[in-house]
């Protein structure tokens, strides 16, 4: 049975897609079979890595027709597949809103073959709160949310996230309990103290969320390598493998995977070109 992680935030512009794509690529290089699901009408994840096979349909076909065949595309990365976004007009959110099982259908579909055979499923979401984001959150075993390293943004994250978790809690009665949320400080520059910000976030989040929000120790540094790797359509851990005093993208993803998946070994097995 696959572990499903939804990368979500109640605001846009926090690099959810970059995080989703690079997590998937790193897990694939660890030998895990990984599936990316693009649940954003702006289909950035769908074109993040080149495809060697494009399926006839994507997320809309999967959701509306409950079709599990012909919706999985293959990237050029070994063991990394994709369900692409095929909803340029944003009509899927209206279908989800109006369908009786709209918000929980994705959860139940991803529990069936062929999706259940993957080790990890990663769902990217849009920044706007709405039915499509609700469906992606309800499908998750774990939620992962990037947080900008400013305390006002962090407080906004806590307020928005706690509101979302409380609003979606009744999904449990439909077989889709909301999973625990892991926050990760994202785009941390050298002038910031990650530990201080993380501790302040923990204080802000613990009581309002009743312990449902955990802030990870790993932080993603502000670095041009993430944007450069995306330009070349290559996984950032392959692009930036330097070993030095500041963590490389490889070091950072290794630490992140160790926190999220402590049962996995964290050294990629595939060759790096």
């Amino acid at each position: 049975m696959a572990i499903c992680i939804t990368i979500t935030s109640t605001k846009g512009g926090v690099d959810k897609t970059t995080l989703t794509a690079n997590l998937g690529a790193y897990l694939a290089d660890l030998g895990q079979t990984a599936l990316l699901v693009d649940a954003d009408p702006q289909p950035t994840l769908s074109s993040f890595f080149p495809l060697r096979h494009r399926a006839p349909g994507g997320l809309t076909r999967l959701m509306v027709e409950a079709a599990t065949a012909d919706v999985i595309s293959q990237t050029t990365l070994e063991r990394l597949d994709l369900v692409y976004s095929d909803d340029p007009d944003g009509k899927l959110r209206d279908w989800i809103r109006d369908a009786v099982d709209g918000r929980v259908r994705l959860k139940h579909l991803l529990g069936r073959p062929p999706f259940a055979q993957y080790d990890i499923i990663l769902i990217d979401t849009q920044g706007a709160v709405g039915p499509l984001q609700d469906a992606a959150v309800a499908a998750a075993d774990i939620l992962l949310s990037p947080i900008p390293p400013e305390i006002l943004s962090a407080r906004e994250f806590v307020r928005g996230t706690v509101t979302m978790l409380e609003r979606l809690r009744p999904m449990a009665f439909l077989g889709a309990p909301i999973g625990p949320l892991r926050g990760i400080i994202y785009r941390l520059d050298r002038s910031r103290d990650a530990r201080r910000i993380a501790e302040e976030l923990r204080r802000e989040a613990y009581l309002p969320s009743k312990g449902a929000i955990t802030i990870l120790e790993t932080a993603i540094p502000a670095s041009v390598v993430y944007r450069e790797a995306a330009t070349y359509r290559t996984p950032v851990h392959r692009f930036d493998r330097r070993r030095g005093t500041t963590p490389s993208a490889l070091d950072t993803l290794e630490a992140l995977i160790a926190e999220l998946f402590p049962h996995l070994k964290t050294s990629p097995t595939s060759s790096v070109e």
Side-chain angles (χ1 to χ4, degrees), residues 160-263:
T161 303
V162 168
T163 299
M164 178 186 71
L165 294 176
E166 287 299 320
R167 180 174 58 82
L168 296 179
R169 204 167 299 282
M171 292 290 187
F173 297 108
L174 299 174
I178 303 306
L181 187 140
R182 308 285 185 259
I184 180 167
I185 298 173
Y186 209 85
R187 293 192 299 229
L188 185 75
D189 63 43
R190 294 183 181 181
S191 66
R192 310 268 184 176
D193 181 348
R195 188 173 297 276
R196 180 183 62 81
I197 294 171
E199 287 303 320
E200 192 159 357
L201 265 173
R202 290 185 183 100
R203 288 194 299 271
E204 292 280 340
Y206 186 82
L207 287 178
S209 74
K210 300 178 182 177
I213 299 175
T214 301
I215 307 302
L216 298 174
E217 295 292 337
T218 305
I220 307 291
S223 174
V224 297
V225 299
Y226 294 89
R227 185 172 64 250
E228 290 173 348
T231 300
Y232 289 107
R233 304 180 78 186
T234 192
V236 73
H237 72 275
R238 297 185 184 182
F239 187 80
D240 180 29
R241 299 175 58 85
R242 60 190 164 74
R243 299 290 186 179
T245 54
T246 57
S248 66
L250 175 62
D251 295 328
T252 302
L253 282 166
E254 185 175 303
L256 177 56
I257 292 298
E259 278 199 86
L260 288 174
F261 305 105
H263 64 291

Side-chain angles (χ1 to χ4, degrees), residues 76-90:
T76 54
L77 304 179
E78 199 69 31
R79 294 178 295 275
L80 184 64
D81 293 341
L82 169 74
V83 175
Y84 59 77
S85 173
D86 54 353
D87 181 37
D89 299 323

Side-chain angles (χ1 to χ4, degrees), residues 34-142:
L35 176 69
L36 305 176
V37 177
D38 192 350
D40 189 340
Q42 297 181 358
T44 307
L45 182 64
S46 298
S47 58
F48 204 96
F49 298 124
L51 298 181
R52 57 191 169 98
H53 166 69
R54 181 178 175 87
L59 184 63
T60 297
R61 177 178 290 191
L62 172 64
M63 292 284 289
V64 174
E65 301 177 17
T68 57
D70 296 327
V71 296
I72 298 176
S73 300
Q74 297 173 330
T75 76
T76 54
L77 304 179
E78 199 69 31
R79 294 178 295 275
L80 184 64
D81 293 341
L82 169 74
V83 175
Y84 59 77
S85 173
D86 54 353
D87 181 37
D89 299 323
K91 294 180 179 178
L92 182 56
R93 63 192 173 199
D94 296 331
W95 181 89
I96 292 170
R97 181 196 62 210
D98 297 335
V100 173
D101 65 339
R103 285 176 168 82
V104 296
R105 180 174 286 201
L106 185 60
K107 166 87 172 178
H108 298 306
L109 287 169
L110 294 180
R112 300 179 187 173
F115 306 105
Q117 276 69 48
Y118 286 91
D119 295 312
I120 309 289
I121 297 174
L122 297 162
I123 306 176
D124 187 27
T125 61
Q126 60 184 153
V129 174
L132 183 55
Q133 188 191 68
D134 290 352
V137 169
D141 298 303
I142 301 171

